[in-house]
Amino acid sequence: MSIETESAVAGFVATNPTLTYTEDGVARLYARIGMEHSRQEPDGSWTQLEPTFHDMTAFRRAAEEGYERFRKGDKFVATGRVHEYTRQKDGESAEEFIVSRFGHDVARTQYDVRRTPRQAGATEDGPAQGAGFDSPARRPQQSRTAAMGL
């Protein structure tokens, strides 16, 4: 079976998100997002270019959770798809990124994770025996800090 993929974007929230509801009562989040760009120069250095700005929309639970968690300036990563459409007000073609999943960019954001309580018998190393799945034995992972350039 092949790996299913979606388009992905990484950027920053350029406007505070707004939450509205469709006529059918479906939650809809809208925000302008910025995407940073850079160019590698012949000498190997990087030049920061002007960011580009785009529309981003999420629906249903992603919209409600996104509205609660995201603010202007937050760095994020998102998967979804590009939706091309014609604007009603001026007849111009436009596009927006429709989010299926998104979250804060862990490489550029500090935050605390609040996990739900574990089932009885669970440890910090993993779920309790018989918790619903069997996982293969894991090898200890080496630190990747140097490889990430941090």
Side-chain angles (χ1 to χ4, degrees):
M1 178 176 255
S2 64
I3 297 173
E4 293 184 30
T5 60
E6 291 183 284
S7 296
V9 297
F12 60 93
V13 180
T15 62
N16 277 320
T18 58
L19 182 66
T20 59
Y21 292 87
T22 66
E23 292 177 2
D24 298 333
V26 175
R28 177 186 181 271
L29 175 132
Y30 169 80
R32 290 284 288 169
I33 60 170
M35 296 176 67
E36 298 169 339
H37 303 279
S38 58
R39 174 183 64 229
Q40 189 170 19
E41 303 297 344
D43 67 359
S45 65
W46 291 89
T47 299
Q48 190 73 31
L49 304 174
E50 290 295 317
T52 56
F53 294 91
H54 311 275
D55 295 327
M56 182 176 77
T57 305
F59 293 95
R60 298 175 187 76
R61 184 159 182 217
E64 293 170 334
E65 293 294 330
Y67 182 73
E68 290 297 319
R69 297 170 194 258
F70 286 96
R71 299 291 176 264
K72 183 177 179 179
D74 287 355
K75 311 295 193 262
F76 72 92
V77 292
T79 61
R81 63 184 176 84
V82 175
H83 172 243
E84 296 180 21
Y85 65 97
T86 302
R87 288 191 294 241
Q88 291 179 354
K89 65 180 179 182
D90 60 11
E92 294 289 321
S93 63
E95 60 184 21
E96 64 183 338
F97 191 76
I98 305 290
V99 172
S100 58
R101 291 182 174 89
F102 62 151
H104 288 94
D105 185 342
V106 298
R108 300 171 18 167
T109 305
Q110 292 183 354
Y111 60 92
D112 295 321
V113 175
R114 289 187 230 142
R115 293 187 171 86
T116 57
R118 295 190 182 263
Q119 297 175 6
T123 67
E124 287 188 25
D125 294 331
Q129 292 292 332
F133 66 91
D134 294 323
S135 62
R138 290 188 175 181
R139 289 178 277 159
Q141 293 183 337
Q142 295 178 352
S143 173
R144 295 185 219 165
T145 303
M148 292 174 53
L150 295 177

